[in-house]
Amino acid sequence: MITAEPGAGPTVLRILLGSQLRRLREDRNVTREDAGYAIRASESKISRMELGRVGFKERDVSDLLTLYGVTDGTERDALLSLAREANQPGWWHKYSDILPNWFQAYVGLEAAASLIRTYEVQFIPGLLQTEDYARAVVLLGNGSAPKAEVDRRVQLRMERQKLLNRANPPRFWAIIDEAVLRRPIGGREIMREQLEHLAKLAERPNITLQVIPFGYGGHAAAGGAFSLLRFPDQTLPDIVYIEQLTSALYLEKREDVDTYLESMERLAVEADSPDRSRERFLEVRRDFAPPPLR
């Protein structure tokens, strides 16, 4: 029986339940088409349910359990309870008006991950941004938005960061291209404060920060930014997240994940050590010092 970690969000609960339903179906040699027929749905809906990409109706789960021969009351109750919990909105639901569907899934996965590894080439990773830097980034893409909307987008980013401060935080490991440190998002003062913030975060035991310096030249992930998520439940696959302008890719096939994992490992070897990277944050911070008065 698959069990969820305490505090797991609805995104991961859907994936857990979908994974369990898929295992039960395959154990009984039931096709997706036949499973869909049993709940008056299509084969594609069964596929989406098993991938955790849609909500679950308790009646559908009950009918599938009957089809799969699950008669034990304890097992049925546990899975039906999981279905109810998976349908509860996450904390980010209140931001659904500004949060695109393709990113809602990532916020849910991020909140449940035990390890988050990310490579960034343009911006400081969202979980590490100061409020002023986050506001400057939001304004780049939403410059004409009302102030209230900009405030909510910044607040959402600050809410996401709380996971790094919780009692049992995930391990966060970011590899940042040096160009990110030298791009003056929001101006010199905001960048100076952001770099100082990075130096402080680098001292925390659950956070590892590395910089790919300009002097290295080409490197293993020249194709662009991506993130790797790993979960405490070993039945859940690692997921690669690649954000695009108006959508995102979620890769979970083992061969795809392995390719990105190998690239991330090579980046970690090529990058400055965490200690040297912290020194670099402070060095670049000095470059953003106010110009001398004349």
Side-chain angles (χ1 to χ4, degrees):
M1 172 67 64
I2 296 175
T3 57
E5 289 288 311
T11 304
V12 164
L13 295 180
R14 287 197 298 268
I15 296 174
L16 282 168
L17 180 55
S19 176
Q20 181 73 343
L21 291 174
R22 182 175 65 248
R23 184 187 66 78
L24 290 169
R25 178 181 60 77
E26 291 173 347
D27 286 349
R28 286 284 176 157
N29 293 316
V30 176
T31 66
R32 288 194 181 94
E33 182 179 4
D34 288 341
Y37 182 80
I39 63 168
R40 302 151 298 280
S42 64
E43 178 181 353
S44 63
K45 180 177 179 179
I46 294 296
S47 178
R48 292 194 300 274
M49 289 173 67
E50 292 181 350
L51 291 171
R53 293 177 179 169
V54 292
F56 293 89
K57 293 181 181 177
E58 192 171 339
R59 174 186 171 185
D60 289 346
V61 174
S62 179
D63 289 347
L64 289 174
L65 294 178
T66 300
L67 178 66
Y68 302 155
V70 179
T71 57
D72 179 78
T74 301
E75 186 175 4
R76 288 182 68 94
D77 288 346
L79 288 167
L80 290 171
S81 176
L82 190 57
R84 288 190 291 272
E85 292 176 27
N87 285 329
Q88 296 298 313
W91 63 262
W92 53 91
H93 180 73
K94 62 183 178 181
Y95 295 102
S96 59
D97 58 317
I98 59 169
L99 197 58
N101 290 335
W102 52 266
F103 191 62
Q104 286 189 41
Y106 178 77
V107 175
L109 293 169
E110 176 185 75
S114 58
L115 171 63
I116 304 169
R117 299 181 71 177
T118 188
Y119 168 61
E120 186 55 74
V121 297
Q122 185 170 3
F123 300 115
I124 301 297
L127 292 181
L128 308 179
Q129 294 177 6
T130 65
E131 186 169 342
D132 286 341
Y133 183 97
R135 185 175 301 278
V137 172
V138 169
L139 286 171
L140 287 176
N142 302 273
S144 61
K147 181 180 181 301
E149 179 183 328
V150 172
D151 289 345
R152 279 174 51 73
R153 290 183 182 276
V154 174
Q155 184 181 12
L156 168 62
R157 194 156 303 185
M158 297 300 103
E159 287 278 339
R160 285 173 55 205
Q161 294 182 5
K162 290 181 179 179
L163 70 90
L164 295 179
N165 300 314
R166 68 192 186 195
N168 185 29
R171 184 182 178 199
F172 185 79
W173 187 350
I175 300 176
I176 305 169
D177 194 282
E178 184 177 350
V180 175
L181 310 183
R182 298 190 178 278
R183 185 172 290 112
I185 302 295
R188 299 174 67 88
E189 182 177 352
I190 287 176
M191 279 305 301
R192 189 166 65 251
E193 292 174 353
Q194 175 64 71
L195 290 162
E196 183 176 349
H197 184 59
L198 289 179
K200 291 178 180 177
L201 290 174
E203 298 176 347
R204 293 171 54 173
N206 64 312
I207 296 177
T208 301
L209 304 181
Q210 292 182 264
V211 175
I212 293 281
F214 283 145
Y216 194 85
H219 50 75
F226 65 94
S227 296
L228 274 162
L229 304 178
R230 180 165 292 171
F231 306 95
D233 192 309
Q234 295 183 355
T235 62
L236 289 176
D238 292 350
I239 291 178
V240 175
Y241 172 76
I242 305 171
E243 188 168 317
Q244 300 171 333
L245 189 60
T246 58
S247 63
L249 295 176
Y250 293 85
L251 308 178
E252 59 184 60
K253 289 184 179 179
R254 188 69 257 173
E255 57 268 30
D256 292 333
V257 173
D258 285 346
T259 297
Y260 279 90
L261 182 59
E262 179 182 352
S263 181
M264 188 71 84
E265 295 290 354
R266 288 172 57 194
L267 281 168
V269 172
E270 295 166 356
D272 285 342
S273 70
D275 286 343
R276 177 66 187 100
S277 295
R278 185 178 183 279
E279 293 173 1
R280 194 177 293 275
F281 297 146
L282 298 175
E283 289 171 3
V284 178
R285 177 186 178 276
R286 288 192 288 271
D287 293 342
F288 285 106
L293 296 176
R294 295 182 179 179

